[in-house]
Amino acid sequence: MFSRNTEKLESLIGANSAFMGNIETKGTLRVDGSMEGNVNADWVILGEKGSIKGDIAARGIVVGGKIEGNLRAKEIVEIKSKGQVFGDVSSVKFTIIEGGIFEGRSSMSKEEIKVIEFQAKSSL
C-alpha cells in the first residue's frame, strides 16, 4: 500500500479524540477517534474503533471502522473485516474482506490505459 519513502503518516486523530471540520492534507491521515467533516488526503486509514461522518476523497482508503459518507478513491477502497461503509463508493479497485459491511452504490472506473503511438519510418 505504501511505497517506502513517498507515503508517510502526516496526520492522526487519536482514539480518545473527536474532531469536527474538514481536513485537507498531503500524505496519510489516520483516524482512530471520531470525526465529522469531509476529508481530502493522499491516503486515509480508519482504525477499527474510528468513525467518520462525511465524504472522503483520496488515492486510497482503508476502512477498519465506520464511515457514513461517500468515498471517492483514485486507486483503491478496502473495507476490512470489521469495517462498515454506509454511502456510495467510486474507485478503480474495491475490496470487501469477509465480515465487512457495505450499504450503498459502487461504481468502478477502468484504469487509464496509456497508449504510446510510434511513427512508422518510411523505408525509402
Side-chain angles (χ1 to χ4, degrees):
M1 177 172 71
F2 296 110
S3 56
R4 191 162 268 200
N5 293 320
T6 59
E7 301 299 332
K8 296 178 183 167
L9 183 62
E10 296 291 331
S11 304
L12 171 68
I13 298 175
N16 297 316
S17 300
F19 179 84
M20 291 186 73
N22 298 331
I23 294 179
E24 185 165 337
T25 184
K26 295 289 182 196
T28 300
L29 168 68
R30 181 174 176 103
V31 178
D32 289 316
S34 64
M35 179 186 165
E36 279 190 50
N38 299 328
V39 176
N40 189 340
D42 288 331
W43 286 87
V44 176
I45 301 170
L46 180 64
E48 284 186 6
K49 297 186 180 181
S51 68
I52 298 175
K53 287 186 181 181
D55 296 339
I56 300 174
R59 279 182 39 210
I61 304 167
V62 179
V63 182
K66 181 178 179 180
I67 295 179
E68 295 177 50
N70 300 321
L71 309 182
R72 191 176 74 244
K74 293 179 182 174
E75 293 180 18
I76 187 168
V77 172
E78 181 175 330
I79 301 174
K80 298 289 193 180
S81 62
K82 294 186 179 181
Q84 302 175 29
V85 173
F86 300 95
D88 297 342
V89 172
S90 173
S91 181
V92 175
K93 297 176 186 173
F94 184 30
T95 304
I96 304 172
I97 306 299
E98 184 177 351
I101 296 172
F102 170 62
E103 287 187 19
R105 293 180 300 171
S106 67
S107 63
M108 296 175 64
S109 58
K110 293 182 181 179
E111 292 184 61
E112 288 185 26
I113 299 172
K114 296 181 181 177
V115 177
I116 300 173
E117 294 185 23
F118 293 100
Q119 295 289 331
K121 292 184 179 179
S122 59
S123 56
L124 293 177

